[in-house]
Amino acid sequence: MYKAQIYFGLLFNPDFMTMKKLVLSATLLLSVATFAQKEELKTLKKIYSKTTITEKDLTEYKTASDALQNLATEESDKVYAKFYKTMYPSLVLASKGSKVTMEDQMNLFKPEFIKDYGNVVSETIEFEKKSGKKIYTEELIKEKDEFKKMLNSLAMSLNGASKFKEASNAFYALYLFDPKSEGTSLQNAAQLAVNAQDYKLAEKLYEEFYNSDFFNNGVTYLAVNKANGKEENFGSNNEAKLLRTTYISKGLYEKPRDERVNKNKGEVLRTLAILNAQNEGDKKKLELYVTEARKLLPKDEDLLTTEFNLYFNQGYELIKDDMKMVDEINKVTDNKKKYDELVAKRKEIFAKALPFFEKAYKVKPEDENTKNVLKITYETLGQPEKAKAIN
């Protein structure tokens, strides 16, 4: 009876009945939400698959996409919610049909969209591979390949027309679209920015290249062409490696060789140092670039000059108004306290400049200006023996 009493107590407990109703309500809401998700996905898939996009399609697509962002709970729904949202600008472009302009196309190819587009294509392909349900995989692989070819063709055409800034932007877009396979495009973008004499952009891109996974871990695949006996570069991605293997198996190439991308680290650091100096950028960063580059290229004249200017100019910047200070000191010879204060201040300035002049002298001990200013600095700081030692 005791157990039965507990059973009946639970059965007729008003609170329990309320809880049960809440559970049922939650289940019902979940079912409605799931149904809604499927409807939104169906709408999006239908419109996305259309050849001709109308204004009405765009409105329905946007409404369904926005709704799906809040409804998506399962991984698959989240993946496709992100996919359809990212693809919306491409549908807007498609809706213009024959009225689309070059400006419309260039507006779509902004770095933010290119990067998001590349990411969502790769993520969707990877998800479908994992789930075993290939809804868009074949289409996206083809689309990805065609988009890369289009961007590469555009970049090459712009470069051929000596439109270096535009070519740099196109190569950079190609890199953003597929950073895992298109590290070479980032390098091309940086080099073309130099050709365009946009040194600010060039420094930014070279810095990104220097810090990229491609530069630090990438490998370039080479082999000798049997027809002409010359070693040729196949590229640095998996496709390049496979192509080289195929050509070797067909007897067209021989002597395969792999070369690390960062083999030319010294040259990249040298370029970064020169660009930073040109742009009058961060002096600490410049010193780092120069120091590391000179370890690899100790006799490079451009690096020697860049390092010398770095140190000499920093020292000179501190003492450039010294003549004014000397005049001010000579005017207060009858005021000992003021005189002593100014002399102490002058010594303090030269003390700060000394390390820079010493480094400049070490880089170019033959430079007469450096010899003279270093002698004056030593004499001002009460170190006549060091001044005499400079020949």
Side-chain angles (χ1 to χ4, degrees), residues 353-364:
L354 178 61
F356 296 116
F357 290 133
E358 287 179 330
K359 288 179 179 179
Y361 178 67
K362 186 177 179 180
V363 176
K364 285 192 175 184

Side-chain angles (χ1 to χ4, degrees), residues 269-288:
L269 283 166
R270 173 184 177 277
T271 301
L272 275 168
I274 293 171
L275 287 170
N276 183 283
Q278 171 75 27
N279 295 329
E280 299 181 356
D282 187 327
K283 296 296 188 292
K284 289 183 179 179
K285 189 181 287 187
L286 174 56
E287 186 171 7
L288 176 64

Side-chain angles (χ1 to χ4, degrees), residues 16-43:
F16 174 73
M17 292 301 292
T18 303
M19 186 184 299
K20 188 176 181 183
K21 287 179 181 177
L22 287 173
V23 171
L24 286 171
S25 299
T27 305
L28 182 62
L29 285 172
L30 185 60
S31 299
V32 171
T34 303
F35 176 76
Q37 282 178 222
K38 302 306 178 187
E39 286 300 305
E40 311 303 338
L41 284 166
K42 192 185 297 183
T43 299

